[in-house]
Amino acid sequence: MNIITVAKLQKKYKSLTAVEDVTLEVGEKEIFGFLGPNGAGKSTTIKILATLVKPTSGTAFVGGFEIVRQPHLVRQSIGLVFQETTLDERLTAGENLYFHGMLYNLERSAMAGRMAEVLAMVELTDRKNALVKTFSGGMKRRLEIARGLIHYPRVLFLDEPTIGLDPQTRNRIWDYIHHLRLRENITIFMTTHYMDEAENCDRIAIIDHGSIVALDTPANLKKMVGGDLITLLAPNRSEVKRIIQETFGLAAVESEEQLQLEVESGESFIPSLAGRLNGLISSISLRKPTLDDVFIKLTGRDIREEAADNWGMMRAHMRGRNRK
Amino acid sequence: MRVSKAIYTIWLRDVIRFYREKPRILGMLGQPLLYLLIIGNGLSYSFRMAAAPQGFNYLEFMYPGIIGMSVLFTSVFSAISIVWDREFGFLKEVLVAPVPRWSVAIGKALGGSTIAMLQAAILLLLAPVIGIKLGPLTVLKLLAVLFLIAFSLTSLGITVASRMETMEGFQMVMNFLVLPLFFLSGAMFPMKGMPPWLETLMRLDPLTYGVDALRNIMFATSPARELLVQFPLSTDLAVVAAMSLVFITAGTMAFSKVE
């Protein structure tokens, strides 16, 4: 059963088309990654699914409810964690959770128990009565995730959940995400600029120029790029190149001091390669294609540059961005 | 049920935030005292020399005006929390909640009114110092009128704040709106004997009727009543009620359009 169904979604503003044609389905309990360069239509799509923006045409169902006709039912069944904090920093962690629970009509009798439960999940139990302004960036993000969960949503939207956090904290956040999928039976729909993190997703959709250009598992997406990349260092490159051509029927590419060749399965190829070239080479290295490579191939842009852009933009337009 | 819960939540948040900010509480107490002490006494002494009618006590005249003014400033500027929330992100949390926007606007209006009412109540406690005796029933009536005034002015603030993206913009627009509202309200000088153009402007200011309602109630049995009030109480109340209705409608409509 699909928890999110999007069909031919389109959003046009006066002079530009933010979303051209988005069709996708997300299954229950999936961790679904939504990637794309800045301005590709990523955040507009999320805003439409979260009923913050109305589509120009097309339909979408979230948790069984139609986003235009039943916005409040959709909102009740989703949790949202935005890139910028939306906590009230002058309230305590507990108060932030309490107000959220009230706005989402949580039964008063169930409130205290549920608050304790989500706080424990993100290990903030002992900070319940502390003002949020005393929290670190990682703690705030964890509290936001806890808050997004308090009303038992069926889908949790995470927009760049780990941006601006140190690697250790990022890993912790991922632990929580995996953990809560098991515990809460929840679907996670997320965006990220960190390709190594996108590996955590069950499936990934890549959006560019307002349309989905690829949608598959990380492993299958990487297959699109080609095989594994083997790099050799050898004193006599032309000799080695000839042997490889004769023995394996592969054309190695000579670049600077190295030889590079592409094979389907690097791990099992290296032993026979090394056996044949014994004594002729000084080093072998294997590189698997990454989602970065997939992203570059599909969008023509490097997502790491996008991420850098994004940070620059955030600093320059912090005030502007918060308004949206 | 769901809507009342939302209104209560938004109200409660504003109240909690208020009592947590000690400087704001101090400012709330200090500001009107300062006005009463300096402007009230200063003007009162200089007016004594002018040809004031017999039995006209300027401080008595000014006192309801000062209360009206405190309520005006506190109510209207309480809506700055919307701009503040937008700046710091919390507004988004409220906007994506599955509750109607108008319930949020009403919660905000009630939150601002509550704080303004607290201030008004403290000022009413000072009545004996000014030499005015107020019975418990009079105090209740005054609080009821003050609540209507506070509610409409907070709504006015919400109407403006919903369209404003920066604190500076909000402050500018509000000063532009609030100062004329205050000066023309008859809080500081009586309407009687003003040049016709000024009298017309004062008649157009809805706050004039609010301040006049306060005087009507406060000086119901005072021999100087005729000198202090301008309109019958029923007119005052009708205008104040209409003002509440218009401003809360405008406020909820403006807030519903926030993106």
Side-chain angles (χ1 to χ4, degrees), chain A residues 127-140:
Chain A
R127 302 303 298 263
K128 186 182 166 199
N129 296 317
L131 289 178
V132 174
K133 64 180 171 192
T134 64
F135 281 23
S136 69
M139 286 161 74
K140 282 182 195 164

Side-chain angles (χ1 to χ4, degrees), chain A residues 47 50-52 71-73 75-76 80 82-92 95-96 98-108 111 131 147 318-319 321-324, chain B residues 1-2 4-10 12-14 16-17 19-21 84-101 104 164-168 258-259:
Chain A
K47 278 184 187 157
T51 77
L52 291 173
H72 282 195
L73 290 168
R75 287 174 181 206
Q76 185 70 44
L80 287 162
F82 298 103
Q83 230 176 89
E84 322 87 41
T85 175
T86 63
L87 295 165
D88 187 337
E89 305 209 342
R90 299 189 180 203
L91 297 179
T92 65
E95 284 161 348
N96 267 289
Y98 175 76
F99 288 142
H100 185 92
M102 290 286 282
L103 288 175
Y104 284 75
N105 205 18
L106 205 66
E107 286 296 321
R108 257 174 240 235
M111 185 83 83
L131 289 178
R147 186 182 63 177
M318 204 58 189
R319 292 158 66 100
R321 289 175 65 86
N322 280 346
R323 257 169 247 142
K324 295 194 182 95
Chain B
M1 180 56 207
R2 175 165 213 145
S4 56
K5 219 164 156 180
I7 294 175
Y8 167 73
T9 307
I10 301 291
L12 183 64
R13 170 179 175 253
D14 273 11
I16 289 184
R17 278 185 63 130
Y19 83 64
R20 229 165 249 165
E21 272 173 85
W84 184 273
D85 285 347
R86 192 199 291 276
E87 193 105 351
F88 290 93
F90 185 79
L91 189 65
K92 219 167 177 176
E93 153 80 358
V94 175
L95 295 181
V96 300
V99 294
R101 291 281 176 85
V104 177
M164 290 293 144
E165 305 228 317
T166 62
M167 310 259 190
E168 294 85 350
V258 173
E259 278 188 13

Side-chain angles (χ1 to χ4, degrees), chain B residues 6-8 10-12 14 102-112 158:
Chain B
I7 294 175
Y8 167 73
I10 301 291
W11 170 84
L12 183 64
D14 273 11
W102 58 262
S103 65
V104 177
I106 289 181
K108 279 268 171 212
L110 290 174
I158 291 171

